[in-house]
Amino acid sequence: MAARMLGQQARQFSTSVIRPVAKLVRPPIQVYGLEGRYATALFSAASKQSKLNQVEQELGKVSSLIKDPKISTIVMNPHVKQSVKQQAICDILAKTNVSPITVNLINVLAENGRLPITGDVITAFAKMMSAHRGEVICSVTTAQPLDQANLSELKVVLKGFVEKSETIKLETKTDSSIMGGMIITIGDRYVDMSTKTKIQKLTKLIREA
């Protein structure tokens, strides 16, 4: 009975996925690919019910669940029958306190054999929510971790690249292979100021001289 009800909800959500774009509540940014399509439908459904923040939090729970080895070995295994995956995900969701919107998403992914892209859909939805809050995701890669003083100075500089109504959501990474300097990605901008790239450019100039 539970599986049948969840299946009905999944088909309702699936219908919303294929509705004309004009009927959707469009997210502030467009994410391409299949994961973007599901995330857009989810954003629209949650927005219409004023549950964007709730769904975002629930997807965090789902993300943790699908990373559990006991669960992932079943729902992410291409050799496990679709019906078994469907029942497994139904049992899991029945034990979690999540909204029908989130249940619908996971079940339509299960019905369509798209559970392996669940993490990608969650990531796409997170990007939409960041944009919805006026956040601009900025990724900074350095050879060594930045200290607090450098981080503070960097944030001040990066604010000059966004609108006053927007805020920077800074993500820092370390990659010793770049040797020094930094690589910055902010919105659709990409700036490579790494020592590695500078050396490569210099080497190319010398060879072409």
Side-chain angles (χ1 to χ4, degrees), residues 1-30:
M1 176 65 74
R4 185 166 56 194
M5 291 178 63
L6 289 172
Q8 291 173 348
Q9 292 176 331
R11 282 187 287 275
Q12 291 173 0
F13 187 85
S14 181
T15 300
S16 73
V17 171
I18 60 175
R19 286 176 182 169
V21 175
K23 294 184 179 180
L24 293 174
V25 175
R26 298 188 182 187
I29 60 170
Q30 184 175 1

Side-chain angles (χ1 to χ4, degrees), residues 20-131:
V21 175
K23 294 184 179 180
L24 293 174
V25 175
R26 298 188 182 187
I29 60 170
Q30 184 175 1
V31 179
Y32 297 95
L34 189 58
E35 66 273 19
R37 186 182 178 194
Y38 281 105
T40 297
L42 177 63
F43 185 94
S44 178
S47 180
K48 289 176 181 178
Q49 296 187 32
S50 300
K51 292 185 177 180
L52 284 171
N53 292 332
Q54 179 181 339
V55 169
E56 183 180 27
Q57 293 176 357
E58 291 173 351
L59 290 181
K61 296 180 182 179
V62 173
S63 180
S64 298
L65 283 172
I66 61 176
K67 290 177 182 177
D68 186 329
K70 294 180 180 179
I71 298 173
S72 62
T73 52
I74 298 175
V75 300
M76 300 299 178
N77 191 333
H79 302 295
V80 175
K81 290 183 179 180
Q82 198 65 30
S83 59
V84 175
K85 291 183 180 181
Q86 184 78 22
Q87 186 60 55
I89 203 70
C90 285
D91 293 341
I92 293 166
L93 292 175
K95 297 175 182 178
T96 59
N97 186 25
V98 297
S99 65
I101 299 174
T102 301
V103 170
N104 292 349
L105 168 70
I106 302 305
N107 276 277
V108 73
L109 288 172
E111 283 201 342
N112 293 341
R114 301 295 185 183
L115 282 174
I117 71 166
T118 301
D120 295 332
V121 174
I122 294 174
T123 298
F125 186 81
K127 290 179 179 178
M128 293 175 183
M129 287 301 295
S130 286

Side-chain angles (χ1 to χ4, degrees), residues 89-196:
I89 203 70
C90 285
D91 293 341
I92 293 166
L93 292 175
K95 297 175 182 178
T96 59
N97 186 25
V98 297
S99 65
I101 299 174
T102 301
V103 170
N104 292 349
L105 168 70
I106 302 305
N107 276 277
V108 73
L109 288 172
E111 283 201 342
N112 293 341
R114 301 295 185 183
L115 282 174
I117 71 166
T118 301
D120 295 332
V121 174
I122 294 174
T123 298
F125 186 81
K127 290 179 179 178
M128 293 175 183
M129 287 301 295
S130 286
H132 174 69
R133 288 189 290 265
E135 298 173 348
V136 177
I137 299 176
C138 177
S139 174
V140 177
T141 303
T142 55
Q144 300 293 332
L146 295 173
D147 58 30
Q148 194 59 49
N150 285 328
L151 274 175
S152 298
E153 184 178 353
L154 181 60
K155 288 178 181 178
V156 172
V157 173
L158 292 174
K159 284 182 180 179
F161 290 90
V162 300
E163 301 294 333
K164 291 183 178 180
S165 59
E166 298 175 326
T167 57
I168 292 288
K169 184 177 181 181
L170 185 61
E171 299 175 351
T172 58
K173 306 174 184 177
T174 57
D175 181 359
S176 60
S177 70
I178 71 172
M179 302 171 69
M182 62 180 63
I183 299 173
I184 300 174
T185 302
I186 179 167
D188 57 357
R189 300 185 182 101
Y190 177 84
V191 182
D192 188 342
M193 300 180 292
S194 67
T195 301
K196 178 181 178 180

